[in-house]
Amino acid sequence: MHTLLKKARETKGFKTREVANLLKIDQALISKFENGQRTPTRKQVEQLAQLLEIDLELLLVAWLKEKIKQVIAEEPLGLKALQEVENELHPTKENNKVVDLLFEEMEALKAKMEAFRNSQTN
């Protein structure tokens, strides 16, 4: 994200001081956004996208990616947790197969239990 911000600012011909003044943000903070030392808030991302004419969706995805990386980077199980979140949000066909197999097993057990019950009553 930081590279995207810097390139867009340079393309527009703005100095960091000018961006800071227009958005009422400290100039040092703009520099830190551009070198990856700090992450802007969502509101700041929206303001930067508008000012620098960057596609908002593109910038928000890059922003979210950075936030997620910050949270899980130092966690040994971070990637595994992220994969589980992805599976919860977007179940894959493989996950659906597992669920289907469980239902098939449940139906088979139900049939066996009914057969056992019928054998006990007769």
Side-chain angles (χ1 to χ4, degrees), residues 70-105:
Q70 287 173 0
V71 170
I72 69 169
E74 301 299 320
E75 292 291 335
L77 298 174
L79 188 55
K80 184 174 181 176
L82 183 60
Q83 289 167 339
E84 287 188 20
V85 167
E86 182 181 26
N87 288 339
E88 285 180 20
L89 295 175
H90 301 288
T92 62
K93 288 181 181 177
E94 186 173 306
N95 289 341
N96 290 338
K97 287 179 186 177
V98 170
V99 171
D100 289 343
L101 286 173
L102 286 172
F103 278 116
E104 287 176 21
E105 287 181 34

Side-chain angles (χ1 to χ4, degrees), residues 5 9 17 23 39 42 46-47 51 64 68 79 101 115:
L5 289 174
R9 178 185 56 77
R17 174 179 30 85
L23 298 183
T39 303
R42 183 185 175 99
E46 291 170 356
Q47 292 172 330
L51 177 66
L64 284 168
I68 292 167
L79 188 55
L101 286 173

Side-chain angles (χ1 to χ4, degrees), residues 26-40:
D26 184 55
Q27 180 180 349
L29 199 52
I30 298 295
S31 294
K32 289 179 180 180
F33 294 162
E34 290 185 1
N35 67 28
Q37 291 178 336
R38 291 282 303 267
T39 303

